């Protein structure tokens, strides 16, 4: 993918800050490898890096008045739907470059036409910044679901922003530090909207703009899910879902070669059929495979069958066990994600997979988010149940993870002292209060809205956002058609009974799958993303634990249960405790230690 960065300062002359500006740009290599461009003015600098899917010039887009006076400059990470038609509407008669207008050029002209309201007129996946020379104001914006990262740090005389948190943390005006709330954010995988885990660093919330200028900081929401009555019957609803699916897949494929990440599950299989239909040709299909026979590959026969069904060029990309423990790969994966997580090889495998796919195509479609959008994640809503915390934390607790996934090897006194559970409860109450409902909603539909809203706005951080960042670092642009605001807005208002009308999850997707996938896929059981069971990977984990225990300067040491870590180091069988969750506890400790080192974070708890 691409990445953006910049620095505005009302006092300093940033033309004299070339070294720092150059460092900000260079650190964007984690999101864009193809080329870079920068713009420097007296009190602002903006830069971007691009990838193989980028159209047009890599330079920031500039606009000047007829007399040469600078009006505004823009940089953009991502892509916009139907860029040629958008360009014709925004700049009629103005020729684009030989490769078409860049996303930054489109954003700049949208800003000049509609001002700070421009994001709501745009569709696609984006994060952008516009410096308005006329007003001395910086506008930052993210797409509706925050698929593209964008953090910023207000300073005494301006702000620094970047697609990469580590680049931001390395700026001399930013002090990377976490307090109790920051540690809770890291361990719970829940951040307050608009807040980073680092003290003083903020995130542009999804579906929001942030304006920074002489009048201070102004944050505005430009999009949100809304509760509306659903007035279609089941047949009409099924038909409308298909219309939306056709539309969003066509939008995502316009101008690119059709290619799909095909697992063999219902979601990616339907997406393969939709892509073939939209493109009028079978898409290329890529499936991950493992080089060790101990890895579960229950999806493989279905993926092969789908590829034969559409006569797709199908490539199985093999990930070998020894690659999963390579220190260079581990560092690249951590750099890609911005934040530590307990997912271990569930993140390493997609990175390695994406790196190989990127050598074949620049853009692929992914079926991720379908479970969330079609209302089946976590199972059918239980009318007798009441959510008391986020559903995935509730499930983790039921599986013995008292404070949530990946937290069992942290010091219990520390967790009580920072009030990890209270932090999660406060965020849950805030999140539940924001769920839009209708007065006439039945109890089950009210609960369904809660489940959908919580997962769409809070759980995607663990899934789709991670996938986007991992792929970007590997040089691959992944697009997520199921996470289109038109489709999500429609399905949010469909009653639970319709979403489960055939007694199974994703009923509306399955109803539209006939003719798009082989019959076997329609009735197959769902299986989780595969993990490796190779002994070599687990041995490497325990080796890394022992190294951490021997390192008295390890930044994570004051935060963990050292006795618990020693037990795991002495008995690797504990990695399998509770299935994958025993491993997740170790992964989180190791990842947090590496993250604290990489960003040179000071822990103040």
């Amino acid at each position: 993918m691409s990445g953006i960065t910049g620095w505005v300062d009302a006092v300093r002359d940033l033309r004299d800050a070339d070294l720092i500006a150059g460092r900000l740009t260079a650190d964007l290599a984690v999101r864009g490898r193809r080329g870079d461009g920068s713009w420097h003015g007296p009190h602002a600098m903006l830069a971007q890096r691009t990838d193989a899917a980028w159209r047009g010039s890599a330079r920031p887009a500039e606009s000047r008045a007829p007399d040469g006076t600078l009006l505004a400059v823009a940089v953009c990470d991502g892509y916009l739907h139907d860029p040629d038609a958008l360009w014709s509407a925004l700049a009629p008669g103005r020729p684009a470059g030989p490769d078409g207008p860049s996303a930054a050029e489109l954003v700049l002209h949208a800003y000049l036409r509609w001002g700070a309201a421009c994001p709501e007129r745009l569709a696609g996946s984006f994060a952008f910044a516009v410096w308005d020379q006329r007003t001395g104001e910086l506008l930052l914006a993210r797409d509706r679901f925050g698929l593209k990262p964008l953090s910023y740090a207000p300073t005494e005389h301006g702000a620094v922003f970047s697609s990469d948190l580590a680049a931001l943390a390395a700026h001399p005006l930013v002090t990377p530090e976490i307090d109790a709330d920051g540690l809770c954010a890291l361990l719970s995988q829940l951040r307050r909207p608009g807040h980073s885990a680092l003290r003083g660093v903020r995130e542009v919330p999804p579906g929001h703009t942030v304006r920074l200028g002489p009048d201070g900081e102004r944050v505005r929401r430009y999009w949100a899910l809304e509760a509306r009555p659903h007035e279609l019957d089941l047949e009409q609803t099924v038909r409308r879902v298909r219309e939306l699916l056709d539309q969003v897949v066509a939008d995502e494929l316009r101008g690119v070669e059709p290619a799909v990440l095909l697992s063999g599950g219902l979601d990616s299989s339907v997406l393969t059929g939709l892509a073939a239909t939209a493109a009028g040709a079978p898409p290329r299909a890529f499936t991950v495979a493992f080089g060790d026979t101990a890895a579960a590959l229950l999806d493989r026969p279905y993926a092969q069958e789908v590829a034969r069904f559409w006569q797709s060029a199908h490539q199985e990309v093999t990930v070998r066990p020894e690659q999963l423990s390579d220190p260079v790969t581990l560092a690249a994966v951590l750099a890609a994600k911005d934040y530590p997580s307990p997912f271990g090889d569930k993140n390493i495998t997609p990175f390695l997979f994406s790196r190989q796919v990127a050598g074949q195509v620049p853009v692929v479609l992914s079926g991720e988010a379908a479970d969330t959008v079609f209302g089946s994640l976590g199972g059918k809503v239980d009318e007798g149940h009441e959510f008391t915390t986020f559903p995935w934390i509730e499930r983790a607790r039921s599986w013995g993870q008292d404070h949530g996934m990946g937290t069992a090897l942290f010091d219990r006194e520390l967790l009580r002292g920072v009030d990890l559970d209270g932090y999660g409860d406060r965020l849950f109450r805030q999140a539940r209060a924001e769920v839009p409902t209708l007065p006439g909603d039945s109890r089950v539909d009210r609960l369904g809205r809660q489940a959908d809203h919580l997962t769409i706005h809070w759980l995607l951080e663990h899934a789709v956002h991670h996938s986007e960042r991992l792929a970007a670092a590997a040089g691959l642009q992944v697009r997520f058609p199921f996470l289109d605001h038109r489709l999500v807005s429609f399905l949010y208002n469909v009653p639970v009974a319709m979403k489960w009308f055939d007694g199974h999850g994703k009923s509306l997707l399955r109803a539209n799958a006939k003719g798009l996938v082989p019959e076997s896929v329609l009735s197959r059981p769902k299986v989780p993303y595969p993990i490796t069971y190779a002994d070599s990977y687990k041995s490497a984990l325990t080796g890394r634990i022992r190294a951490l225990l021997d390192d008295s300067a390890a930044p994570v040491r004051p935060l963990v249960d050292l006795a618990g870590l020693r037990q795991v180091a002495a008995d690797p069988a504990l990695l399998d405790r509770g299935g994958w969750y025993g491993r997740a506890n170790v992964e989180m400790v190791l990842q947090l230690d590496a993250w604290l080192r990489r960003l040179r974070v000071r822990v103040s708890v």
Side-chain angles (χ1 to χ4, degrees):
M1 261 317 301
S2 43
I4 62 173
T5 191
W7 179 14
V8 298
D9 195 298
V11 174
R12 293 176 176 85
D13 188 335
L14 299 188
R15 291 171 295 186
D16 298 330
D18 286 346
L19 289 178
I20 296 173
R23 171 68 187 275
L24 283 171
T25 307
D27 284 345
L28 289 181
V30 73
R31 290 196 57 81
R33 304 179 182 181
R34 185 184 181 194
D36 62 74
S38 61
W39 172 88
H40 297 257
H43 299 293
M45 66 79 54
L46 278 75
Q48 62 188 19
R49 290 185 67 97
T50 62
D51 67 353
W54 184 263
R55 287 172 34 126
S57 171
R59 296 189 306 272
E62 299 180 37
S63 179
R64 296 181 178 272
D67 64 359
T69 302
L70 180 70
L71 302 177
V73 184
V75 288
C76 183
D77 171 10
Y79 61 93
L80 300 174
H81 288 166
D82 205 357
D84 294 325
L86 184 59
W87 179 256
S88 296
L90 290 171
R94 179 170 180 166
D99 297 325
S102 72
E105 290 176 295
L106 290 166
V107 162
L108 177 62
H109 283 274
Y111 174 79
L112 294 173
R113 172 77 64 86
W114 298 305
C118 64
E120 57 207 75
R121 306 288 192 102
L122 304 176
S125 182
F126 57 81
F128 67 74
V130 178
W131 168 251
D132 193 324
Q133 182 72 17
R134 301 164 298 183
T135 62
E137 190 171 68
L138 178 70
L139 175 70
L140 304 175
R142 278 174 90 191
D143 61 64
R144 293 160 180 83
F145 298 106
L147 284 171
K148 305 302 175 187
L150 186 55
S151 300
Y152 66 101
T155 62
E156 183 179 4
H157 302 296
V160 186
F161 68 88
S162 180
S163 300
D164 179 59
L165 184 65
L168 197 64
H171 193 281
L173 296 180
V174 178
T175 301
E177 180 181 13
I178 57 170
D179 54 17
D181 271 6
L183 182 60
C184 289
L186 293 169
L187 296 182
S188 67
Q189 307 282 293
L190 297 168
R191 296 192 298 279
R192 288 184 294 154
H195 291 261
S196 162
L198 296 178
R199 178 185 287 174
V201 176
R202 303 174 190 173
E203 294 176 350
V204 179
H208 283 70
T209 60
V210 175
R211 299 170 74 178
L212 299 153
D215 295 332
E217 179 180 345
R218 288 168 288 171
V219 180
R220 183 181 74 89
R221 181 192 292 273
Y222 71 84
W223 182 85
L225 280 174
E226 298 178 2
R228 299 190 182 99
H230 185 73
E231 298 175 342
L232 304 181
D233 62 24
L234 179 58
E235 182 179 351
Q236 293 169 326
T237 299
V238 170
R239 188 163 57 247
R240 180 55 181 155
V241 168
R242 178 56 187 269
E243 291 170 353
L244 287 168
L245 288 171
D246 286 338
Q247 184 177 2
V248 300
V249 171
D251 285 343
E252 296 286 12
L253 284 178
R254 187 172 285 110
V256 301
E257 176 188 359
V260 178
L261 300 180
L262 174 62
S263 71
L266 178 66
D267 311 335
S268 64
S269 299
V270 170
L271 189 56
T272 302
L274 290 168
T277 303
R284 298 184 66 175
F286 299 89
T287 302
V288 67
F290 289 88
D292 61 299
T293 55
L297 290 173
L298 302 177
D299 280 328
R300 185 179 191 181
Y302 297 100
Q304 293 172 337
E305 190 174 357
V306 171
R308 286 194 299 270
F309 185 84
W310 284 107
Q311 298 183 325
S312 291
H314 183 216
Q315 182 174 341
E316 289 189 346
V317 176
T318 300
V319 174
R320 301 187 309 276
E322 62 270 20
Q323 294 177 284
L324 301 174
S325 302
D326 175 25
V328 175
T329 298
L330 296 177
V333 168
L334 180 67
K337 295 188 305 169
D338 264 355
Y339 287 105
S341 77
F343 302 117
D345 64 307
K346 283 177 175 279
N347 281 332
I348 304 168
T349 300
F351 172 76
L352 294 170
F353 178 40
S354 295
R355 192 164 65 184
Q356 294 194 56
V357 174
Q360 306 294 319
V361 295
V363 178
V364 292
L365 303 186
S366 168
E368 277 199 82
D371 284 334
T372 295
V373 173
F374 282 90
S376 72
L377 191 67
K380 189 174 183 179
V381 176
D382 180 358
E383 190 170 0
H385 181 72
E386 191 72 40
F387 292 114
T388 58
T389 188
F390 294 97
W392 53 98
I393 293 180
E394 192 174 85
R395 288 195 293 274
R397 289 174 178 172
S398 72
W399 295 327
Q401 303 281 301
D402 293 343
H403 302 287
M405 187 186 303
T407 60
L409 289 172
F410 287 87
D411 184 83
R412 290 185 176 274
E413 287 300 319
L414 172 75
L415 298 184
R416 281 192 285 269
V418 299
D419 193 18
L420 178 61
D421 292 340
Y423 172 88
D425 290 341
R426 290 190 296 274
L427 287 188
F428 171 72
R429 289 194 296 271
Q430 173 189 339
R432 185 175 59 181
E434 293 172 351
V435 176
T437 60
L438 293 175
D441 282 341
S442 66
R443 176 178 171 80
V444 71
D445 285 329
R446 177 176 60 81
L447 291 170
R449 288 191 193 276
Q450 287 182 9
D452 290 351
H453 201 270
L454 293 172
T455 53
I456 288 168
H457 287 287
W458 293 83
L459 185 61
L460 291 180
E461 178 68 30
H462 308 333
V464 176
H465 293 183
H466 276 258
S467 297
E468 191 280 336
R469 287 151 179 73
L470 291 164
L476 181 67
Q477 185 183 110
V478 179
R479 302 183 178 185
F480 306 92
F482 291 123
L483 201 60
D484 182 275
H485 69 282
R486 295 162 292 183
L487 181 64
V488 174
S489 295
F490 177 77
L491 287 168
Y492 181 72
N493 290 295
V494 174
V496 170
M498 282 192 183
K499 293 178 179 178
W500 289 76
F501 75 83
D502 64 357
H504 301 283
K506 293 183 285 195
S507 299
L508 294 171
L509 184 61
R510 188 174 288 102
N512 280 291
K514 294 174 182 177
L516 293 176
V517 301
E519 284 295 324
S520 60
V521 174
L522 293 175
S523 57
R524 61 155 301 184
K526 180 177 177 61
V527 297
Y529 189 86
I531 62 173
T532 184
Y533 295 92
D535 290 337
S536 60
Y537 182 71
K538 290 188 280 188
S539 295
L541 278 181
T542 53
R544 292 167 63 197
I545 296 170
R546 287 191 292 271
L548 187 150
L549 289 168
D550 290 340
D551 184 0
S552 60
V556 83
R557 279 182 71 99
L559 310 177
V560 299
D561 174 6
L562 292 174
L565 279 176
R566 291 189 185 100
Q567 286 181 340
V568 177
D571 183 7
L574 293 176
L575 290 171
D576 299 321
R577 183 170 51 188
W580 177 77
Y581 294 100
R583 189 191 298 185
N585 294 324
V586 171
E587 302 274 16
M588 189 63 193
V589 170
L590 295 172
Q591 285 237 339
L592 180 57
D593 186 70
W595 184 82
L596 293 171
R597 293 174 191 263
R598 180 173 185 266
L599 273 66
R600 297 181 176 86
V601 177
R602 182 170 64 198
V603 181
S604 303
V605 295

